[in-house]
Amino acid sequence: MMHQPAARYIGLDIANGTLRGARVNVAGRSLARNDQPLAKTSVEILVNQLVSAVHAVDGTGSEAASAVGIAIPGVVTGNKVSMSANLSLLNGVPLADELTRRLGRPAMLENDANAAALAEAWQGAGRGGKSVLYISLGQGIGSGLVMNSQIWAGPNGYAGEIGHVQVEPAGAPCGCGLRGCLETIAGAAGWVRRAKTAMKNRPTKLQALNLDQAAILKAAEEGDGVALEVMDETARALGITLAAAIGLLNLDRVVIGGPAASSMLLERVVIEARQRTLPRAFAECQIKLSELNDGACVLGAARVARTGTRFGSAPSEYR
Ligand SMILES: [Zn+2]
């Protein structure tokens, strides 16, 4: 007998030091929200906080959520976080099982960038696309891939690790152990490293500022030459990587989000990607800024709660 799904789902997002929670209906409309600082001193404290965050947004009777999805900053394999750099206390913890037991309803995990990709493909800048890549630009580079309305995570959860695609064979060492990865150029540390080098020989307003990604972004918008050069190099690295992804996957939507995304960078990325992609493939691909921004992960997590699968047997249309 077919299980009749209830019509309320809860998404949680523990990606950026804040625990965001929302209960949504089948259309993804938010019915209740709750944001609080994330406690991450121990697994037990974190699990308790996740349980209370669910109760904070849940309804009663037919308004109660039937399932919970959680967006995690790390690689998710099945019901476990198999690798999280930012929340290492979760490594190897069967978090989904523990939350399912405590909440009395299914709890599912998903990588944060995958969740954001799903949300953008469903309701954001990627809607209408069949083959959607989401890239988050910030400290690091996150990305998620949605094919035919479902997350493509790969058999071990590593799909979409576009930040560690090599762009410069003899480039800077990356935190992953490789060299010249996209992240070494387009990640925050790469911006600061190149700005510092360029500042040695040229005047720049960055000299008077606390040098970080936000300062470089602002200086570029004000026309600072050094900051603009950092943006151009970032756009070039992104353009090279996107051209490969568009050609390989026939992407029809690319969505760029995260704190370092800007319309100025987007314009440059489009130019760099266009000149490296087969014209017919490029013509079918829209490259846009995120529309859901900070709300993407929590909405995607709720969507994961609703569908319960990454790929495989579920229907491939949003309903
Ligand atoms: Zn790397």
Side-chain angles (χ1 to χ4, degrees):
M1 201 165 132
M2 282 286 287
H3 171 66
Q4 189 64 37
R8 305 287 183 257
Y9 304 92
I10 287 174
L12 301 178
D13 166 22
I14 59 172
N16 299 301
T18 298
L19 169 54
R20 296 176 196 280
R23 179 168 51 101
V24 307
N25 67 10
V26 279
R29 192 167 64 83
S30 179
L31 304 169
R33 297 199 61 101
N34 180 273
D35 291 356
Q36 50 187 290
L38 183 67
K40 45 185 180 181
T41 42
S42 74
V43 173
E44 193 190 348
I45 287 169
L46 179 61
V47 169
N48 286 341
Q49 195 188 17
L50 293 173
V51 169
S52 73
V54 166
H55 294 143
V57 295
D58 206 4
T60 54
S62 63
E63 283 295 312
S66 59
V68 177
I70 304 116
I72 305 272
V75 175
V76 171
T77 309
N79 61 354
K80 277 188 190 159
V81 182
S82 54
M83 192 188 80
S84 175
N86 299 333
L87 218 52
S88 54
L89 82 169
L90 286 179
N91 288 342
V93 174
L95 187 62
D97 294 346
E98 177 65 13
L99 286 170
T100 297
R101 193 180 63 74
R102 294 274 303 269
L103 294 166
R105 59 199 124 169
M108 286 151 250
L109 312 181
E110 188 48 86
N111 166 266
D112 54 350
N114 287 349
L118 187 63
E120 292 286 353
W122 182 27
Q123 305 223 328
R127 64 186 176 277
K130 291 227 171 276
S131 184
V132 183
L133 177 69
Y134 169 81
I135 298 188
S136 161
L137 303 177
Q139 282 302 115
I141 310 293
S143 88
L145 190 58
V146 173
M147 311 292 272
N148 285 330
S149 318
Q150 288 188 290
I151 292 166
W152 177 259
N156 302 108
Y158 290 98
E161 286 291 332
I162 208 166
H164 301 288
V165 167
Q166 191 183 62
V167 187
E168 282 187 351
C174 182
C176 73
L178 303 175
R179 184 172 277 280
C181 297
L182 174 63
E183 189 164 291
T184 66
I185 299 163
W191 287 33
V192 170
R193 186 188 69 245
R194 295 198 309 285
K196 272 188 181 157
T197 306
M199 275 161 70
K200 286 179 191 156
N201 333 315
R202 277 187 285 160
T204 163
K205 61 175 64 175
L206 291 170
Q207 249 130 12
L209 299 171
N210 183 17
L211 196 58
D212 61 13
Q213 198 170 35
I216 297 169
L217 200 58
K218 185 161 178 289
E221 273 160 11
E222 292 163 2
D224 182 84
V226 166
L228 280 170
E229 189 177 285
V230 171
M231 296 286 266
D232 287 342
E233 289 160 354
T234 300
R236 183 168 158 269
L238 281 165
I240 290 169
T241 318
L242 280 184
I246 294 167
L248 184 66
L249 298 166
N250 187 193
L251 298 174
D252 54 2
R253 301 283 189 283
V254 174
V255 181
I256 300 181
S262 72
S263 51
M264 183 184 200
L265 181 63
L266 180 75
E267 276 171 33
R268 287 164 162 76
V269 170
V270 169
I271 292 167
E272 295 286 351
R274 179 187 292 128
Q275 67 199 40
R276 296 181 168 85
T277 312
L278 287 172
R280 283 192 182 190
F282 194 82
E284 288 165 26
C285 182
Q286 298 177 11
I287 305 180
K288 295 172 149 185
L289 288 179
S290 160
E291 290 178 7
L292 301 172
N293 301 310
D294 286 349
C297 286
V298 79
L299 179 64
R303 173 82 205 178
V304 167
R306 190 183 135 188
T307 52
T309 56
R310 281 172 158 180
F311 52 82
S313 59
S316 64
E317 296 293 322
Y318 293 120
R319 285 186 293 182

